[in-house]
């Protein structure tokens, strides 16, 4: 599950439950076209929507937030040739701030 993006996970969960796009879109208070774009990775969810998804599908909030934030980080650095070094530096900074 952690190698998929939030949209892919959302589609998988929705299909496993046999829910239609319009049903999940109504729960998230968005239109079906936007939900379809989210599932295809063309648009991003807001934090509140991620929390609603976790409740709707009974997934721990911390797991969904982790995946959502990971997607945001990837989107931010995916074009950088040194993306892995950026992540390593970020990890060092986080560790230093937590000590």
């Amino acid at each position: 599950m952690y190698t998929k993006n939030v949209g892919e996970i959302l589609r998988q969960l929705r299909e496993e439950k046999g829910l239609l796009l319009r049903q999940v879109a109504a729960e998230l208070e968005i239109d079906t076209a936007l939900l379809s774009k989210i599932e295809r990775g063309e648009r991003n969810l807001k934090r509140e929507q991620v929390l609603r998804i976790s409740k709707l599908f009974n997934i721990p909030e911390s797991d969904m937030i982790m995946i959502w934030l990971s997607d945001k980080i990837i989107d931010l650095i995916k074009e950088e040739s040194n993306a892995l070094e950026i992540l390593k530096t970020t990890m060092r900074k986080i560790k230093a701030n937590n000590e």
Side-chain angles (χ1 to χ4, degrees):
M1 179 156 115
Y2 297 120
T3 59
K4 295 181 179 182
N5 67 39
V6 170
E8 292 169 327
I9 292 168
L10 177 55
R11 174 179 280 152
Q12 179 182 344
L13 292 168
R14 179 180 62 77
E15 289 175 347
E16 286 174 0
K17 295 275 186 181
L19 297 173
L20 301 173
L21 273 170
R22 65 180 166 80
Q23 293 171 302
V24 176
E27 288 289 328
L28 298 178
E29 299 178 359
I30 59 176
D31 64 30
T32 55
L34 179 57
L35 179 56
S36 180
K37 289 178 182 178
I38 290 167
E39 286 188 354
R40 292 192 311 265
E42 296 172 7
R43 293 288 299 270
N44 295 317
L45 288 163
K46 296 178 181 175
R47 184 183 197 92
E48 311 85 62
Q49 294 163 332
V50 173
L51 297 176
R52 284 185 184 175
I53 289 168
S54 69
K55 287 179 185 167
L56 178 64
F57 294 105
N58 199 27
I59 306 275
E61 284 183 3
S62 59
D63 288 356
M64 290 303 295
I65 293 295
M66 181 175 52
I67 294 165
W68 174 71
L69 286 172
S70 174
D71 288 350
K72 290 176 73 88
I73 292 167
I74 289 170
D75 195 47
L76 189 64
I77 65 171
K78 67 184 175 191
E79 302 295 326
E80 302 298 328
S81 61
N82 60 341
L84 289 176
E85 280 302 312
I86 293 168
L87 288 176
K88 288 176 187 175
T89 300
T90 303
M91 287 177 60
R92 285 191 293 273
K93 287 181 177 181
I94 291 169
K95 286 179 183 178
N97 285 332
N98 289 331
E99 292 178 350

